[in-house]
Amino acid sequence: MKAISGTNLEQAKSHNRRVVIELIRTHGSLSRAAIARMTALTPQTVSNIVEELERSHLLVAAEAQKLARGQPIIPYSINPAGAYSIGLELGRRRASGVLTDLSGAVCARIERQVEHPDPQQAMPVLQSIVEHLKQAFAFDQQRLLGVGIALPGRYAEGGTTSLSPQSLPGWQGFPVGPELEQRLNAPVLVENDATAAAIGERLHGVARGLASFVYLFLAGGGGIGAGMFLDGHLYKGSRNNAGEIGHIIVEPHGRLCSCGKRGCLDRYVSPSVAYDFMGIADTEGLSPDALDALIDRGSDGLDAWLDQAVQPLRQTVDFLELAFDPETIVLGGSLPTSLMRRLAERLEPLHDPIDPGRQRTVPRVMIGMTGKDTAILGAAALPIFSETNPRFDVLQKPVG
Ligand SMILES: [Zn+2]
């Protein structure tokens, strides 16, 4: 059995530093006095942390606001150029990479054509993308936090090795993270696409500042997964497979699923099912704009897909609300924005909530990031999250 770990001064320092970054990130800019008030840290501790973060370029001071009396107030904000991150994505036909700054803004992007690559073919391509990204934009390379890669799939016993690009052969058991790390000589973080997208949404998107939300990720290539932040923790489950909700049965004795069961959510709501209904055989052969135009135009096939998808999705939202009591459920994914919009429009009315009298500050369902960049921006968020998110398992201090 794992012992409960204690905290020492170093851990507490690192945690407090992360709490300050997170607070400034969610509020835009804050003075030292405001940070001290909101974190319950002493003014001296806050001063030390802010000075250290300013020295390491993660924070910048804005012009001091002069007051009629007393010391002028200096607001601090996140310095976008204070750190950088690289996100990678690998599909059947396309390998891509982005370089983002600390605010998540894309500074450079590179795409390469691939053809159903096995690991031996893909690794040099990913390595070359990273090397070119580092040359494509002028920045202090000491400030590169690391490289994130988002992959669809489940975790095998003991780690990340069974995550693999969808329906590509030769990836089962391949150690993506350690192999890339060796080639790139930089920290590499591997995460499943739904969790990576949830992290991106919490750092830079509609879930910024939310402690509890469920992100429902609809993968363009098929498959539905959930990324979960519960009480400020990223929740991953006992074997890292929490959120595999695409395989919840929504239709007993329904359509056969790749997992062997019948009637799974995936087989009704996945974008790939939408394309089947619309008679589009090869979405990777279409440009995202062409696909968007097809969906915007509408068709009998699209309507038929929506008709059979909306009830299973509504049921899933109901289940997630009842099971986890989140502040909101974010719908997003690497599917065309027009497809997500159509689905979300049809979702109302939702099932009655268990607490109809509740005062809500955010809607029950929100639309998060959609489009082809969703997973790759989530991947780029991984090193930033790992470096700056408060570690609630180290120690807990009320914030706000
Ligand atoms: Zn299934």
Side-chain angles (χ1 to χ4, degrees):
M1 208 175 97
K2 229 167 84 177
I4 298 169
S5 54
T7 58
N8 58 42
L9 194 59
E10 272 311 305
Q11 284 176 322
K13 257 173 75 179
S14 154
H15 175 79
N16 289 340
R17 185 175 174 268
R18 288 158 179 262
V19 164
V20 170
I21 295 175
E22 168 82 355
L23 197 65
I24 295 176
R25 191 212 308 285
T26 45
H27 285 79
S29 75
L30 286 173
S31 69
R32 278 184 277 203
I35 297 167
R37 197 171 57 243
M38 295 164 89
T39 57
L41 292 169
T42 65
Q44 186 56 51
T45 303
V46 170
S47 279
N48 292 345
I49 292 173
V50 166
E51 268 167 37
E52 189 224 311
L53 291 174
E54 205 183 356
R55 262 200 315 277
S56 55
H57 310 287
L58 294 178
L59 291 186
V60 280
E63 188 113 344
Q65 297 167 358
K66 293 210 175 67
L67 301 177
R69 286 182 300 164
Q71 293 279 323
I73 292 177
I74 306 172
Y76 289 87
S77 55
I78 299 288
N79 175 18
Y84 291 84
S85 178
I86 286 175
L88 294 174
E89 191 186 10
L90 183 67
R92 279 166 279 199
R93 300 249 183 94
R94 195 165 54 105
S96 13
V98 292
L99 175 74
T100 76
D101 66 19
L102 189 52
S103 74
V106 174
C107 305
R109 164 197 303 278
I110 288 175
E111 277 189 18
R112 295 278 163 78
Q113 300 295 315
V114 290
E115 200 53 58
H116 296 79
D118 63 24
Q120 282 65 37
Q121 292 162 324
M123 287 294 128
V125 176
L126 294 174
Q127 182 178 2
S128 151
I129 287 175
V130 169
E131 279 158 10
H132 281 87
L133 280 172
K134 285 161 82 173
Q135 306 307 322
F137 182 79
F139 71 106
D140 179 353
Q141 303 211 351
Q142 301 286 342
R143 298 187 189 178
L144 182 66
L145 296 176
V147 176
I149 180 162
L151 295 170
R154 248 157 284 162
Y155 289 86
E157 192 69 46
T160 62
T161 52
S162 117
L163 287 178
S164 65
Q166 203 141 34
S167 31
L168 287 179
W171 287 83
Q172 208 63 28
F174 182 78
V176 179
E179 277 290 324
L180 269 180
E181 209 152 63
Q182 210 174 21
R183 284 173 172 272
L184 302 177
N185 200 21
V188 173
L189 293 161
V190 185
E191 193 49 86
N192 81 56
D193 46 10
T195 301
I199 288 173
E201 207 66 57
R202 185 160 196 269
L203 283 187
H204 314 301
V206 297
R208 190 147 65 153
L210 296 185
S212 296
F213 70 95
V214 179
Y215 183 106
L216 212 52
F217 182 88
L218 277 66
I224 298 172
M228 285 175 285
F229 272 89
L230 301 175
D231 298 336
H233 298 253
L234 180 61
Y235 181 75
K236 298 179 70 166
S238 62
R239 287 168 299 158
N240 287 329
N241 283 326
E244 276 290 339
I245 64 162
H247 300 286
I248 286 176
I249 293 174
V250 294
E251 183 74 56
H253 318 296
R255 296 175 197 148
L256 186 62
C257 180
S258 60
C259 72
K261 297 192 295 189
R262 282 190 173 275
C264 292
L265 180 69
D266 263 7
R267 297 295 297 121
Y268 297 83
V269 181
S270 273
S272 59
V273 179
Y275 304 140
D276 285 348
F277 269 78
M278 293 171 69
I280 305 170
D282 180 16
T283 49
E284 286 199 43
L286 282 172
S287 75
D289 286 346
L291 192 56
D292 253 329
L294 262 179
I295 293 158
D296 267 339
R297 206 179 307 146
S299 65
D300 291 346
L302 180 61
D303 284 336
W305 174 70
L306 287 167
D307 283 342
Q308 56 82 64
V310 73
Q311 187 47 38
L313 185 58
R314 209 176 272 150
Q315 185 181 324
T316 305
V317 167
D318 190 49
F319 159 74
L320 292 172
E321 285 188 336
L322 293 169
F324 300 110
D325 189 25
E327 287 159 88
T328 190
I329 289 170
V330 180
L331 296 179
S334 54
L335 76 173
T337 306
S338 49
L339 193 60
M340 179 56 88
R341 212 187 49 237
R342 293 250 185 176
L343 188 58
E345 278 167 6
R346 290 283 297 272
L347 201 54
E348 298 284 353
L350 294 166
H351 288 302
D352 289 340
I354 194 84
D355 50 358
R358 172 177 174 181
Q359 294 287 329
R360 302 196 64 93
T361 50
V362 287
R364 287 170 75 184
V365 174
M366 291 204 280
I367 306 288
M369 175 109 184
T370 52
K372 73 182 175 82
D373 281 347
T374 308
I376 199 167
L377 290 177
L382 296 174
I384 297 174
F385 179 78
S386 157
E387 195 64 27
T388 64
N389 197 63
R391 296 273 311 276
F392 286 89
D393 52 337
V394 176
L395 78 164
Q396 191 100 37
K397 189 150 200 153
V399 175

